[in-house]
Structure formats: C-alpha cells, structure tokens
RNA sequence: GGGGCUGUAGUAGAGUUGGUUACAACGCCGGCCUGUCACGCCGGAGGUCGCGGGUUCAAGUCCCGUCAGCCCCGCCA
C-alpha cells in the first residue's frame, strides 16, 4: 500500500537546497535516484527537476521511516519531511550542487512505487534510441532532455517577449485548412461532415498570415506547428515548429534588422553569447560561387575557386570537355592535407559521388611539384597558373570537381563542409550567422518541364527585375532571404506580392492558369484586391535553432515526443489502423488492406 | 524508391578460423554493513544471439531474405 499525500505541501525543490537553508524544516517530493543502505543508516538521493538532494535516515531519529526506506527502490516517488542540516565534517560532496547539506528525515511517505526502469535515469548510461523512444517518459526524466526542453521554453519565452516589445501580436491560425499545390506533400484529414472532402494540415500558416496583414494587424507572429509529409533527416521531422512572423509596410532590410535583433537577444538570454550585429549578408550567387551551397558554414574559410577558364584549353579532357560544354570546374585547397592517405582520398571521392559528381581529382603539392594522377596533363604554364590561383604551397592538397554547375557546386560545397568537420574547424561554441539574399525567383523543374518557385509563389520579385519576368524568368531575383547559422538554414522569408495583378502573373509563370488560381487561391486574390498593404515576413525553424543552442546532434533531442525516421511514434505506436466504422463514417474504403 | 551502419541477459558491450554448458561489467533479487554519495562486501537469478530460411556432422559466427532503429541520396516552395 502506498502512503497518501494527505495535506503535505512541498516547500522546496530538491536541487535548490543549499547552505542558506540550514536549520529549516522542509517538505520535499521527488523520485529516488539511488538508495545507499548501510544497515543501520540509509541515504536516499531524491531527485526532482531542479536536481538531487541527499536524504539521511537515522534510526535514532525515526525508526519507522528507516524501516520504510528499506523497501524503497529506484524511481519510487517519495514525500519527506525533515530538517536541512550541514553534512558532518569530511562528508561534504563538492560534486553536487547541494553537496554541503543533507535533509535529516523525520517522516517519509512512499507516494508511489516503480517497476525497475529499463535503463538508469542518469547522465552516464547510454541507451539505444529505440529503447529511449519507447520509454520516452523515462528518457525525459534524464538531465540532458530536461535541460534541452527547459532551454526551449526559455527561447520561446524570449521570442514572445521580444516580438511583443516590437509590436507583434500573436494570433492563432487554423490547423484544419486547405490543400494547395506547390511545395511539400500535405498531410490530409478527411472531413466527416463533408464526406469525400479533405482538409490539409498547414505546411506553414503562409496565406493566413498574409491575410492578417490585409486585416490590419500590421505585425503578427505565432510559434506554430507545421506539417510536411516528406522523409525525415537528422534535422527534419514531419511535424515541426516555426517562429512565424509577418509585417506590413516593410522592406527586406527592415525584416532582417528586426529579426537579427531577435536572434541576438535569444543567444544572449539562452546561452550568454553576443551576436555581432548586423549579421553579414551574402548574395545567393556569391554564396554559391565561394562556398558551393546556399547554406555555407562560415566558421571556417576554405573557399571554392573557379578554374574553368584556366583549364579550358588543357590536355586533361575531363576538365576541357566540361569547360567546353558550359560546365564548371572548381577546386578547394585543403591546406596541409597532402598527408592524406589513399584510403582517405578514396573516401572523399566516394563522398562527392553521393552528390552526383563523377569523380574527384586530387593533387598533393610536394617539393618536387604536383603528385597526382592528373599532373601529366598540364603544361608548366598551366601548373603555375593553377598554383597561383589556388595559393598552393608545399603540403597542400588540391581537390577538383568538374561537372555541370549545380553538381560541381553541391559536391565541392558539401566536401568543404565535410573537410571543415574532419579538420576540426567547426567549433561548437562558435556561432556564425549569415543572411543569404537575392535568391532566384524561379528554378526550372526538369521533371515537370516548368518553372517552380524557389521560395514560394507569393514571393515578390526584386522591383528592378520585374521587367524580365516574361523575357528571362530564370534571371529574375526574389526579395527573399534565408538566415543561415553554422551551415544550417534556421530561417527564411520574403517580401510578398501585394498586387493582385502581379500575383496572377506569377501564377501564370508557374503554369497555374487563371481558373486554377481562382479555385486554389481565390481567397488570397480577393484579399489582395481589397487594399492589401505591402508586407513581408519570415519563419524560423525553432527545432533547428534549438539543436544549435543545445549542441544536439538530432532534432529528436529537442522535441519532447519525436517521431522515428519512418515517421512513427514508438511510444504511442502512431500511426495505427482505424476501425471499419470510422472509415465508413468518413466514406473511405482502403484500396488494399495491408497484411 | 535507393545506398550505408547497427541488432547477443533489463542496459550497454566481448565473443578468435564455424566446434563443449554464450562471457565479464552495470542494473535486478537475497544477505551483511552507522557516513555513503555512480557506497562496499558475500551469494543468486536472468538468454527465442531481432525474425525466417539455407549451407554444414555442427551456426551468435557463413549465405539469402525480412523486420526494426539510425545516417545519407532522392524528396523537403
């Protein structure tokens, strides 16, 4: 039989007790971290969210409690009354925050018992992730996740305070909403009342926040769940949280200035890091040119160097052909890496192949000149020019990729990231922000044979590029911006189209004709036609931001109840089959019952 | 859809060239212990080697398939 809580009221949290509480009578409640039974004397480490305190049970003080303590096991829930006392000479534990004191117990109540947990609730025990996820409620008792989620709370609170001070109003938008074309796959929710019709869960509150601008709220924000039915990654879950913002009467610079202030505030409050403002800005074109990717990790240099022109006339056919066919030849100079083994070089070659590169040419720069399978193809003049261009010195490793531009950039850009990690250039406590701007408005989708929006269909072109919308849509730049932190895209947004004529033109360019635009986005076009103010906004990925702030390797470590890579929940076992009755009500028949 | 890694007591691991009864640690159970603190000492229990099939006199070990977890490509406006 468990003891009743009765009228006991907790007076303190375990981890908060220090020498200043000595002499006080306290009432504590928490879990048993550990029992140390010395026969006549028992110590219990009692844990709550603030930490651990040692309870001392002495037969001279209360024999009944001592006897009861003999039954106590790990993770039992206890309530105790006792007096905070200094520990006897020589028994202070400097490793514990509460190590100067202990609580001399006068009465102990066992509020609940516990099965032996499948793993120890401590910071030492390493447990396979599937076990952790199945017993998430226990994993969440452990210090790492407790700290991560509490920091997440602090960040959310800081965001609310900052945005409130800046005149933003938090407004909720629907979760049951409308499926729209473009973008990620939607999660669909069948409507019982409207049999045969479906809601979609929002990929973002994009259209609603624009409508709120039309409605005159002027500055809106929301910390909001978004849903995308796509495959998962270490930093991607199908349901995730955005800090979603929209502002009226602003330019890109206005948005970026307000939001980098928010980032600086978050980093100061959450981890006491000063972010130097303004955050540097880099055009999309320059980012690709120098780093190969639009989310460069600026914690280290190691820039890509374009050498297409230098090798266009060389005898090395691989390079010359690529140059002749509009491709791109670029190189990295990995300083001092000529010591890499053949095996390491093969590993780097395999790595670039993941991104579609056909191979990786390498050169070790030695006292005797180039040591490389491709050295023989180049004249002395070409070698000298390449060495000069790449700043090659003895001991360097030069790495080349030649392919069509998108592949060269991606492969070498990712290789840059990998080398940065391999060479230890990416310190965890180093935070390098950068805004990426001037994205192209469109990119060409080879599969669908049409232009698609790089950001989304509501993004405004740069005003100076609007004349080229018809003649050269591929060259039109967007008033879009991404915030990148240590190689991770943590946010992105744009100035939106507020002119209904431009919006209709935009849909046309995306292959959405007037009728379809009306059907899918009629409410937006209507809203834009009733005096929509110029507006723009941004959304930040709270989960990714938390990963960086906590140093987590996985997005699962900053989410209380995350999904597995197959988008299931090992705790609740969602998703699951539903009853025939439920399906009938929804007018749904499954094409094939899975076995 | 594709590539890769992992899977052995509750937990995390070792297990040689295929060869007797699958190891030790932590945890768990029992006992002892009045100053420990990831207490200590003595004793004990605990295994469908993910699952299925195959090769073999013999499989944790080799082969094929499959499931699960993780990482990546595609996908993610």
């Amino acid at each position: 039989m468990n003891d009743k809580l009765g009228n006991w009221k907790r007076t303190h949290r375990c981890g908060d007790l220090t020498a200043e509480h000595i002499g006080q009578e306290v009432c504590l409640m928490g879990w048993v971290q550990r029992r140390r039974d010395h026969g006549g004397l028992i110590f219990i480490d009692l844990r709550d969210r603030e930490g651990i305190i040692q309870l001392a049970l002495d037969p001279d003080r209360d024999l009944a409690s001592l006897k009861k303590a003999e039954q106590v096991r790990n993770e039992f829930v206890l309530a105790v009354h006792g007096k905070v006392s200094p520990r006897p000479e020589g028994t202070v534990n400097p490793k514990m925050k509460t190590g100067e004191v202990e609580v001399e117990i006068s009465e102990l109540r066992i509020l609940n018992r516990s099965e032996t947990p499948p793993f120890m609730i401590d910071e030492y025990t390493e447990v396979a992730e599937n076990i952790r996820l199945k017993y998430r409620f226990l994993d969440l008792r452990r210090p790492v996740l407790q700290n991560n989620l509490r920091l997440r709370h602090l960040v959310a609170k800081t965001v609310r305070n900052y945005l409130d001070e800046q005149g933003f109003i938090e407004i909720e938008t629907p979760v049951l909403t409308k499926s729209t074309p473009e973008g990620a796959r939607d999660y669909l929710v069948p409507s019982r009342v409207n049999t045969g019709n479906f809601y979609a869960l929002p990929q973002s509150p994009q259209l609603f926040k624009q409508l709120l601008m039309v409605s005159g709220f002027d500055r809106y924000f929301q910390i909001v769940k978004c849903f995308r039915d796509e495959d998962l990654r270490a930093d991607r879950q199908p349901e995730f949280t955005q800090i979603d913002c929209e502002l009226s009467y602003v330019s890109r610079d206005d948005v970026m200035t307000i939001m980098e202030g928010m980032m600086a505030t978050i980093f100061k409050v959450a981890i006491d890091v000063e972010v130097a403002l303004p955050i540097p800005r880099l055009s999309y074109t320059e980012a690709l040119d120098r780093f190969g990717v639009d989310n460069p990790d600026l914690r280290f240099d190691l820039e890509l160097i374009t050498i297409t022109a230098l090798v266009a006339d060389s005898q090395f056919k691989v390079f010359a052909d690529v140059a002749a066919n509009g491709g791109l030849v670029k190189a990295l100079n990995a300083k001092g890496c000529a010591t890499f083994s053949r095996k390491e070089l093969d590993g780097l070659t395999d790595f670039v192949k993941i991104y579609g590169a056909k191979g990786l040419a390498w050169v070790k720069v030695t006292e005797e000149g180039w040591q490389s399978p491709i050295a023989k193809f180049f004249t002395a003049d070409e070698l000298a020019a390449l060495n000069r261009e790449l700043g090659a010195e003895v001991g360097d490793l030069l790495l080349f990729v030649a392919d069509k531009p998108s592949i060269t950039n991606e492969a070498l850009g990712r290789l840059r990231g990998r080398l940065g990690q391999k060479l230890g250039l990416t310190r965890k406590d180093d935070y390098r922000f950068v805004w990426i701007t001037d994205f192209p408005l469109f990119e060409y989708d080879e599969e669908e044979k049409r232009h698609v929006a790089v950001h989304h269909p509501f993004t405004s072109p740069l005003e100076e590029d609007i004349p080229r919308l018809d003649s050269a849509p591929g060259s039109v730049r967007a008033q879009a911006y991404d915030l990148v932190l240590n190689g991770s895209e943590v946010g992105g947004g744009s100035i939106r189209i507020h002119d209904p004529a431009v919006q209709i033109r935009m849909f046309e360019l995306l292959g959405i004709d007037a009728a379809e635009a009306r059907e899918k986005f009629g409410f937006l076009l209507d809203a834009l036609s009733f005096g929509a103010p110029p507006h723009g906004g941004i959304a930040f990925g709270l989960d990714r931001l938390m990963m960086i702030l906590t140093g987590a390797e996985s997005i699962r470590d900053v989410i209380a109840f995350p999904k597995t890579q197959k988008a299931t929940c090992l705790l609740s076992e969602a998703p699951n089959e539903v009853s025939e009755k439920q399906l009938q009500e929804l007018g749904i028949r499954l094409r094939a019952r899975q076995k």
Side-chain angles (χ1 to χ4, degrees):
Chain A
M1 266 297 280
N2 294 328
D3 297 319
K4 299 286 184 287
L5 180 58
N7 60 0
W8 282 18
K9 301 285 179 218
R10 179 168 63 181
T11 60
H12 296 77
R13 288 208 167 83
C14 302
D16 290 337
L17 295 177
T18 61
E20 70 184 61
H21 298 95
I22 286 172
Q24 291 186 28
E25 286 290 331
V26 296
C27 176
L28 301 173
M29 308 199 185
W31 286 271
V32 174
Q33 181 67 35
R34 207 82 177 108
R35 182 189 57 140
R36 288 180 295 280
D37 187 339
H38 290 254
L41 186 67
I42 294 176
F43 297 104
I44 291 173
D45 289 341
L46 195 69
R47 184 192 73 239
D48 61 22
R49 69 179 209 198
E50 300 303 325
I52 292 173
I53 181 77
Q54 173 164 287
L55 313 179
L57 291 111
D58 190 320
D60 301 335
R61 201 160 34 244
D62 181 35
L63 195 57
S65 292
L66 185 92
K67 286 290 166 201
K68 203 180 276 181
E70 288 173 359
Q71 307 169 35
V72 160
R73 295 293 181 271
N74 286 353
E75 302 308 313
F76 277 29
V77 183
L78 305 185
V80 293
H81 265 277
K83 193 172 81 175
V84 180
S85 306
R87 293 199 183 182
E89 187 82 35
T91 64
V92 166
N93 184 348
K95 286 186 288 187
M96 292 174 76
K97 195 173 73 170
T98 61
E100 286 184 61
V101 297
E102 63 190 12
V103 179
E104 297 178 347
I105 300 306
S106 52
E107 187 178 349
L108 178 149
R109 293 182 180 176
I110 296 175
L111 299 181
N112 214 343
R113 283 150 207 276
S114 172
E115 300 287 325
T116 301
F119 50 83
M120 292 287 287
I121 312 301
D122 61 26
E123 59 213 288
Y124 314 105
T125 310
E126 287 200 24
V127 187
E129 199 161 6
N130 54 339
I131 307 286
R132 290 175 52 198
L133 290 172
K134 181 174 176 187
Y135 297 98
R136 189 63 166 181
F137 45 90
L138 295 179
D139 197 23
L140 286 168
R141 284 186 193 166
R142 307 210 297 171
V144 170
L145 290 182
Q146 288 263 324
N147 291 337
N148 288 356
L149 292 179
R150 291 182 67 171
L151 193 67
R152 187 173 174 133
H153 160 75
L154 179 59
V155 169
K157 186 176 107 169
T158 304
V159 164
R160 286 200 165 92
N161 288 345
Y162 178 88
L163 292 176
D164 177 66
E165 283 163 17
Q166 297 289 325
F168 287 75
I169 297 167
E170 185 169 16
I171 302 173
E172 292 169 85
T173 53
V175 171
L176 296 176
T177 179
K178 186 176 180 180
S179 179
T180 53
E182 307 286 309
R185 282 187 202 90
D186 287 319
Y187 275 100
L188 296 177
V189 180
S191 167
R192 177 186 57 81
V193 178
N194 304 279
T195 307
N197 288 355
F198 292 81
Y199 303 97
L201 304 182
Q203 297 180 24
S204 86
Q206 181 60 36
L207 294 177
F208 288 104
K209 67 175 171 174
Q210 291 189 238
L211 298 184
L212 288 169
M213 294 304 101
V214 178
S215 303
F217 286 98
D218 200 271
R219 288 186 173 191
Y220 139 96
F221 85 100
Q222 188 180 187
I223 297 177
V224 60
K225 273 288 179 73
C226 300
F227 305 86
R228 295 176 190 175
D229 186 5
E230 298 294 347
D231 289 342
L232 294 86
R233 288 288 187 282
D235 63 351
R236 232 162 68 190
Q237 289 264 311
E239 60 173 314
F240 60 99
T241 303
Q242 280 188 183
I243 302 165
D244 193 51
C245 305
E246 197 76 9
L247 307 75
S248 292
Y249 308 114
V250 287
S251 66
R252 289 191 294 175
D253 281 346
D254 297 329
V255 177
M256 288 189 274
T257 300
I258 291 170
M259 293 305 157
E260 61 191 27
M262 182 175 84
M263 279 299 150
T265 306
I266 291 171
F267 273 68
K268 181 65 190 168
V269 172
I271 57 173
D272 198 25
V273 163
E274 305 281 349
V275 175
L277 298 182
I279 288 170
R281 298 173 190 188
L282 208 56
S283 75
Y284 172 84
T285 307
E286 188 180 352
L288 252 60
D289 185 49
R290 291 170 59 192
F291 305 104
V293 293
D294 63 7
N295 58 345
D297 190 337
L298 296 193
R299 285 176 293 181
F300 57 97
D301 296 329
L302 193 63
E303 295 192 16
L304 277 55
I305 297 154
T306 303
I307 54 154
T308 315
L310 286 181
V311 298
D313 298 322
S314 78
Q315 294 302 302
F316 187 41
K317 229 168 128 23
V318 174
F319 285 6
D321 285 354
V322 164
N325 294 313
L328 190 60
V329 186
K330 291 175 103 169
L332 276 176
N333 181 353
K335 303 299 284 182
C337 292
T339 51
F340 276 20
S341 67
R342 183 57 196 250
K343 196 176 167 189
E344 285 174 298
L345 292 170
D346 286 347
L348 299 182
T349 303
D350 289 342
F351 181 78
V352 296
K353 284 180 177 170
I354 295 172
Y355 303 97
K358 289 172 204 69
L360 179 70
W362 55 266
V363 171
K364 291 180 175 178
V365 183
T366 69
E367 298 284 0
E368 291 78 35
W370 277 26
Q371 182 202 326
S372 167
I374 65 167
K376 57 178 179 264
F377 296 110
F378 296 98
T379 66
D381 282 352
E382 286 167 340
L383 291 177
L386 285 168
N387 279 333
R388 193 180 334 111
E389 197 64 25
L390 297 176
E393 297 172 305
V394 170
D396 290 352
L397 176 69
L398 312 179
L399 299 162
F400 301 82
V401 171
D403 217 302
K404 52 181 200 187
S406 60
I407 289 180
T408 298
N409 277 326
E410 169 109 27
L412 216 46
R414 299 295 194 124
L415 183 63
R416 172 182 178 273
R418 183 176 170 95
L419 283 170
Q421 286 191 334
K422 185 177 159 76
L423 301 174
L425 305 174
T426 53
R427 288 210 329 276
K428 264 201 176 145
D429 58 351
D430 190 13
Y431 303 95
R432 298 301 174 98
F433 286 91
V434 60
W435 287 106
I436 308 295
T437 64
D438 297 341
F439 284 82
L441 189 62
F442 302 105
E443 65 188 342
Y444 193 71
D445 187 317
E446 295 288 348
E447 268 181 41
E448 299 195 30
K449 302 288 180 215
R450 67 179 182 96
H451 283 98
V452 296
V454 168
H455 187 55
H456 58 50
F458 321 107
T459 300
S460 177
L462 277 186
E463 281 171 21
E464 67 226 63
D465 290 356
I466 289 180
R468 293 203 306 276
L469 268 177
D470 298 294
S471 54
S475 76
V476 174
R477 289 164 296 172
Q479 294 198 53
Y481 31 82
D482 276 1
L483 184 63
V484 171
L485 170 54
N486 292 0
S488 179
E489 183 200 325
V490 294
S494 63
I495 300 301
R496 326 299 184 188
I497 298 167
H498 63 276
D499 180 336
V502 175
Q503 185 65 67
I504 288 169
R505 184 77 197 101
M506 181 75 182
F507 285 143
E508 283 171 4
L509 288 162
L510 293 169
I512 301 171
D513 63 29
E516 186 181 0
R518 172 88 354 232
E519 182 205 334
K520 300 283 171 51
F521 301 109
F523 63 105
L524 175 70
L525 295 171
D526 282 348
L528 294 182
S529 69
F530 284 96
H535 61 284
I538 192 165
F540 298 94
L542 179 59
D543 313 277
R544 279 189 194 170
L545 191 59
M546 291 313 305
M547 283 178 70
I548 294 170
L549 288 168
T550 60
E553 306 252 314
S554 163
I555 195 170
R556 295 180 297 279
D557 289 341
V558 297
I559 295 174
F561 300 102
K563 300 280 188 288
T564 69
Q565 205 193 25
K566 286 186 71 183
T568 66
C569 173
L570 295 181
L571 177 66
S572 66
E573 300 188 312
N576 60 341
E577 294 183 5
V578 297
S579 70
E580 187 55 36
K581 178 160 178 278
Q582 284 175 293
L583 290 176
Q584 261 175 24
E585 279 184 334
L586 298 167
I588 291 176
R589 180 184 297 128
L590 297 180
R591 278 168 178 263
R593 279 273 182 198
Q594 72 262 47
K595 218 165 72 78

